Amino acid sequence: MKKPCILCVAITGSLPTKADNPAVPISLQEQVESTQSAFEAGATIAHCHVRNQDQTPSSDPEKFAALLEGLNEHCPGMVIQFSTGGRSGAGTDRGRMLPLAPDMASLSVGSNNFPTRVYENPPDLVNWLASEMKKYMVTPEVEAFDLSHILTAIRMHDRNELYGKLYVQFVMGVKNAMPADKEVFDLYVKFMNERAPDAEWCAAGIGANQIIVNEWAIAAGGHTRAGLEDNVRLDKNTLAPSNAALIQRAAELCEKYERPVATWRQTREILNLQIEA
């Protein structure tokens, strides 16, 4: 049997609103229901942001705590991953939810350009976030927008600065950052396989690149991410009806490449995460 493929659902993000797609889940109830449907479709990691009532992003730990409680109740076994991204807060506000001790949290280890601004991740902040994750035993998912971020992640893990198993996500297709380029993707995979052979990696494509990068990752033996945070459409003319629909597309690609979709238990085993008795 080929290696199981972990499917991560990025349920909400900080940018998409209901004006972009009415299916974008904003309220706690919507996020829990949308995640549960994606879980049933095969997603075993939930990448989580929280929002205010006006749909603006938030880093409020109370909102994260309520979401964590809801997801643990309705998606038992699913890996919960909080975002520490820069759109939801500034400086150490980005890590205020880490004492809640989710299974995982995203970690950007370097800066890069976004469509209209610089996504700033200064070394002092990166080191603080990494140390907080170690303190609360939260495994980082390193979000790599550039090759330098992959190399930095490998170096930090070698120095025991990152908690748990090294897990790197290639983010491709953000305007002004790394495009969805197959040669670059192949180079990323080569670096991970040669320099961090015991690590795991996944890949996410933004917008129309989502399904393209999903297929590259699944075919190459990695894991992948889909969801309304990154892409609100099935195609140019069709809005995605749900997060589950985007996960289902990825699951169908797993079938095409004869890779089983990882169960929540397999996901936790692959990533060395705690499995409750």
Side-chain angles (χ1 to χ4, degrees):
M1 185 178 73
K2 291 187 178 180
K3 182 177 181 178
C5 178
I6 298 169
L7 301 182
C8 172
V9 60
I11 57 175
T12 301
S14 295
L15 287 181
T17 67
K18 290 188 178 295
D20 301 306
N21 184 332
V24 174
I26 301 297
S27 70
L28 172 64
Q29 181 178 349
E30 288 175 336
Q31 289 197 52
V32 171
E33 290 176 354
S34 186
T35 305
Q36 184 177 11
S37 295
F39 183 48
E40 292 168 356
T44 50
I45 299 177
H47 175 73
C48 303
H49 294 246
V50 293
R51 302 285 193 100
N52 299 309
Q53 283 189 330
D54 64 359
Q55 302 193 60
T56 57
S58 173
S59 57
D60 184 352
E62 292 186 4
K63 294 182 186 297
F64 275 105
L67 181 58
L68 180 63
E69 181 180 1
L71 294 181
N72 283 336
E73 178 181 354
H74 293 280
C75 307
M78 192 176 199
V79 174
I80 310 304
Q81 180 190 108
F82 288 168
S83 171
T84 67
R87 286 194 174 103
S88 300
T92 56
D93 278 352
R94 289 166 51 178
R96 285 195 299 148
M97 78 296 287
L98 293 174
L100 296 170
D103 300 295
M104 301 183 76
S106 64
L107 177 66
S108 297
V109 297
S111 302
N112 60 278
N113 285 343
F114 270 2
T116 59
R117 68 183 184 93
V118 176
Y119 181 26
E120 294 187 43
N121 293 288
D124 286 351
L125 177 59
V126 172
N127 292 336
W128 180 80
L129 287 169
S131 68
E132 287 291 285
M133 292 181 196
K134 283 195 74 173
K135 179 178 179 181
Y136 296 107
M137 296 186 291
V138 178
T139 297
E141 178 194 75
V142 176
E143 293 189 334
F145 297 86
D146 185 85
L147 177 58
S148 64
H149 301 170
I150 295 173
L151 299 179
T152 297
I154 294 171
R155 183 173 66 250
M156 291 180 71
H157 192 265
D158 287 345
R159 293 176 178 174
N160 197 33
E161 294 169 358
L162 300 179
Y163 178 79
K165 187 167 188 174
L166 180 60
Y167 191 51
V168 177
Q169 176 177 260
F170 317 148
V171 184
M172 310 190 83
V174 175
K175 184 179 179 182
N176 297 327
M178 185 57 68
D181 183 298
K182 185 57 163 57
E183 288 187 68
V184 172
F185 173 85
D186 290 341
L187 181 65
Y188 284 0
V189 175
K190 179 175 183 289
F191 269 84
M192 289 298 300
N193 289 341
E194 292 181 355
R195 303 196 182 195
D198 295 328
E200 297 289 336
W201 61 266
C202 64
I206 306 304
N209 297 299
Q210 183 170 95
I211 191 67
I212 296 169
V213 175
N214 286 162
E215 184 156 14
W216 291 349
I218 293 165
H223 311 292
T224 198
R225 167 171 133 169
L228 292 167
E229 171 178 352
D230 300 335
N231 167 46
V232 298
R233 297 182 174 275
L234 290 177
D235 57 48
K236 184 177 180 180
N237 300 312
T238 311
L239 292 176
S242 63
N243 276 303
L246 297 172
I247 290 297
Q248 182 60 42
R249 289 201 309 179
E252 289 168 359
L253 286 171
C254 289
E255 184 175 357
K256 174 181 176 179
Y257 289 96
E258 299 180 338
R259 291 190 61 193
V261 174
T263 65
W264 68 262
R265 187 176 294 275
Q266 288 171 325
T267 296
R268 288 180 175 275
E269 290 172 348
I270 290 167
L271 298 181
N272 289 350
L273 298 172
Q274 182 176 356
I275 299 176
E276 297 293 339

